[in-house]
Structures are given as structure tokens and as C-alpha cells.
């Protein structure tokens, strides 16, 4: 059974040294992930003495384009892809969400059903917040990409 799983479905993140990490999840493809990584690792956004790792928690096994992105020399040493579901505590544990500095939940901006997509994003955020409160007795900073502005109110009242 274990050999039938993707290596990404068995892998986990192990914090190393002084490096901090963030977790990225949600609905994304290799193009949106490339945009995120380029922006996140842009020299204007991080102090030179701070090292961050990005743990990508993806629902699917990465396709060839995503694998190519993960092997890109700009990101290779700072990214880790974990195949798993945000709604599963065991997968959140493998990504060490309770130790993350923050979580970014991406959305497909071109979705034809933005209401359902935003609802799924809010549910992901609620699942993450609940997990971190249970595991680490703290709150976590979450950045969500919502399509409809009124969806923010749904999250604030949850």
C-alpha cells in the first residue's frame, strides 16, 4: 500500500535551524504558484538575515510543470511540496502548520463559481485555525485570497 502512494503523500516538513516557514494551500496551479513564490522571495520582502521556507500543501500529486517549478534553482532549497488535505489533521501535522509563521490560502481567480470557491477558502481557514488552537494553543495569521469581498464578512463572523 505504501508504495502505491506518491512520495509527496508520505513526506513531511522538518524545520531546520533558524529558518521559519509559511504554508501555502488552496486552489492553485503552477502559474499561480510561480507568481506567489516570485513575490514571496522577492528581495524587497524579506530581511537579508531571515530565511524562510515555503511548505506547499497541495491536494494533488504535482504535475510535470509543478515539479519543474519546485526544482527551479530560485526555489529548490526553500520549498517543500506535501500532498495532502487541509481538512485532515494528519496532513496539517505533516506540514507543521502549528509551527508556521503564517498560512496563505490561494484561490483560482478565474473560477466561474466564486461563491463556492470562497466558501471552500473560508472552510480551509477555519480548519487551520481550529487545528492550530488545538495543537499549539495560539492563533495563526492567515492570508486568504477571496474573490468576492462579502466573503470576508463570512469569515469574520465564523
Amino acid at each position: 500500500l505504501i508504495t502505491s502512494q506518491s512520495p509527496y503523500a508520505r513526506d513531511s516538513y522538518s524545520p531546520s535551524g533558524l529558518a521559519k516557514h509559511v504554508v501555502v494551500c488552496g486552489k492553485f496551479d503552477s502559474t499561480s504558484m510561480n507568481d506567489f513564490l516570485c513575490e514571496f522571495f522577492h528581495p524587497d520582502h524579506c530581511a537579508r538575515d531571515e530565511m524562510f521556507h515555503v511548505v506547499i500543501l497541495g491536494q494533488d500529486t504535482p504535475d510535470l510543470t509543478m515539479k519543474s517549478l519546485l526544482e527551479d534553482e530560485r526555489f529548490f532549497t526553500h520549498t517543500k511540496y506535501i500532498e495532502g488535505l487541509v481538512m485532515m489533521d494528519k496532513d496539517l501535522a505533516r506540514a507543521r502548520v502549528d509551527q508556521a509563521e503564517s498560512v496563505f490560502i490561494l484561490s483560482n481567480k478565474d473560477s466561474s463559481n466564486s461563491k463556492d470557491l470562497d466558501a471552500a477558502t473560508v472552510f480551509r481557514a477555519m480548519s487551520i485555525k481550529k487545528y492550530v488552537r488545538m495543537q499549539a494553543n495560539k492563533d495563526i495569521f492567515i492570508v486568504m485570497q477571496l474573490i468576492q469581498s462579502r466573503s470576508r464578512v463570512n469569515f469574520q463572523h465564523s
Side-chain angles (χ1 to χ4, degrees):
L1 177 69
I2 204 161
T3 57
S4 66
Q5 282 185 327
S6 136
Y8 299 97
R10 296 188 308 267
D11 209 354
S12 62
Y13 174 70
S14 298
S16 61
L18 300 174
K20 299 175 182 178
H21 80 284
V22 299
V23 175
V24 182
C25 59
K27 289 292 182 186
F28 55 83
D29 58 18
S30 57
T31 301
S32 59
M33 186 55 64
N34 181 64
D35 292 345
F36 176 85
L37 293 172
C38 285
E39 185 67 25
F40 186 82
F41 289 117
H42 193 278
D44 290 348
H45 299 306
C46 289
R48 291 189 188 272
D49 59 344
E50 277 190 311
M51 182 167 52
F52 274 93
H53 291 161
V54 172
V55 178
I56 303 165
L57 182 56
Q59 187 170 321
D60 301 310
T61 302
D63 61 18
L64 290 175
T65 310
M66 183 65 77
K67 285 180 183 178
S68 177
L69 176 64
L70 297 170
E71 294 168 0
D72 186 298
E73 66 183 18
R74 298 170 297 167
F75 312 126
F76 180 75
T77 60
H78 301 293
T79 57
K80 176 93 163 169
Y81 191 100
I82 295 174
E83 183 181 340
L85 301 172
V86 171
M87 304 305 265
M88 300 291 292
D89 286 356
K90 68 180 180 72
D91 294 335
L92 294 173
R94 290 174 41 237
R96 304 295 192 268
V97 170
D98 59 319
Q99 297 174 29
E101 293 294 310
S102 58
V103 175
F104 295 84
I105 306 175
L106 305 182
S107 291
N108 177 358
K109 297 177 282 191
D110 299 323
S111 174
S112 60
N113 194 344
S114 57
K115 184 178 179 182
D116 287 348
L117 184 62
D118 281 357
T121 298
V122 168
F123 281 128
R124 286 182 183 100
M126 291 168 55
S127 176
I128 292 164
K129 283 194 168 284
K130 178 183 172 195
Y131 175 81
V132 172
R133 281 188 197 119
M134 295 296 290
Q135 296 300 314
N137 197 28
K138 67 176 188 175
D139 204 8
I140 188 161
F141 185 70
I142 296 180
V143 178
M144 292 183 291
Q145 198 175 34
L146 296 171
I147 309 304
Q148 297 182 337
S149 59
R150 67 179 168 264
S151 297
R152 182 174 179 229
V153 175
N154 294 339
F155 180 69
Q156 290 173 327
H157 291 153
S158 63

